[in-house]
């Protein structure tokens, strides 16, 4: 994972911040449907922070084929979603590398606080994680 400064520092109603996720497959298994999934826990603000009143965040993935940003799912919850509920994802051949571009924006009515974004790599054909998840540091002010 790569982002300017190593973390996302968002401002409610401010500009989106971009980051990339690089998928590197080993030489043992080709994936037909490898999904990059995002989740963060509900933000608990600091004393004096204003509570949110809107959807909170907008995650988008850059679609190279069309050259446009498309909405992607950011799950905000304090529990784990069963892997069998995930669908989609793209192919990743053995020994292949794929870089995906994303951007995250905090909406004007969203919450403030700090919690990492959990990034998971799920083989939706087998309902298993293809790799350990990684954490992307994040705060919204």
């Amino acid at each position: 994972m790569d982002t300017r400064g190593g973390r996302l520092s968002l401002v409610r109603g401010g500009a989106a911040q971009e980051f990339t996720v690089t998928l590197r497959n080993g030489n043992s298994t080709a994936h037909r449907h490898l999904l990059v999934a995002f989740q963060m826990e509900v933000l608990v603000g600091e004393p004096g922070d204003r509570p949110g009143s809107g959807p909170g965040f907008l995650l988008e993935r850059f679609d190279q084929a069309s050259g446009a940003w498309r909405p992607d799912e950011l799950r905000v919850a304090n529990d784990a979603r069963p892997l069998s509920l995930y669908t989609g994802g793209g192919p990743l051949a053995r020994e292949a590398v794929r870089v995906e571009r994303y951007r995250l924006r905090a909406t004007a009515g969203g919450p403030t606080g700090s919690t990492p974004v959990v990034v998971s790599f799920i083989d939706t054909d087998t309902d298993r994680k293809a790799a350990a998840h990684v954490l992307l540091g994040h705060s919204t002010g």
Side-chain angles (χ1 to χ4, degrees):
M1 213 138 47
D2 187 34
T3 185
R4 187 172 296 172
R7 62 179 290 113
L8 299 174
S9 297
L10 304 176
V11 175
R12 289 194 321 182
Q17 290 188 356
E18 287 191 40
F19 61 98
T20 59
V21 176
T22 302
L23 304 164
R24 289 181 177 87
N25 199 0
N27 60 5
S28 61
T29 303
H31 297 281
R32 290 183 324 124
H33 297 100
L34 185 61
L35 178 71
V36 180
F38 299 89
Q39 179 172 327
M40 75 165 72
E41 291 189 352
V42 175
L43 290 180
V44 177
E46 298 295 322
D49 284 347
R50 295 177 302 169
S53 63
F57 300 94
L58 174 62
L59 177 69
E60 297 175 300
R61 184 175 76 75
F62 186 73
D63 179 8
Q64 291 182 347
S66 68
W69 289 97
R70 307 269 186 226
D72 206 337
E73 181 181 7
L74 170 64
R75 184 170 190 266
V76 179
N78 291 353
D79 62 349
R81 182 178 186 181
L83 298 178
S84 61
L85 296 180
Y86 288 95
T87 60
L92 188 63
R94 290 171 39 185
E95 300 184 11
V97 176
R98 183 173 81 218
V99 177
E100 296 186 2
R101 289 176 53 200
Y102 294 90
R103 66 183 182 187
L104 184 63
R105 173 186 337 268
T107 62
T112 59
S114 179
T115 187
V117 178
V118 179
V119 183
S120 300
F121 310 96
I122 302 166
D123 183 330
T124 60
D125 290 333
T126 63
D127 298 334
R128 293 183 183 189
K129 287 189 177 179
H133 68 263
V134 294
L135 301 178
L136 175 58
H138 154 260
S139 63
T140 296

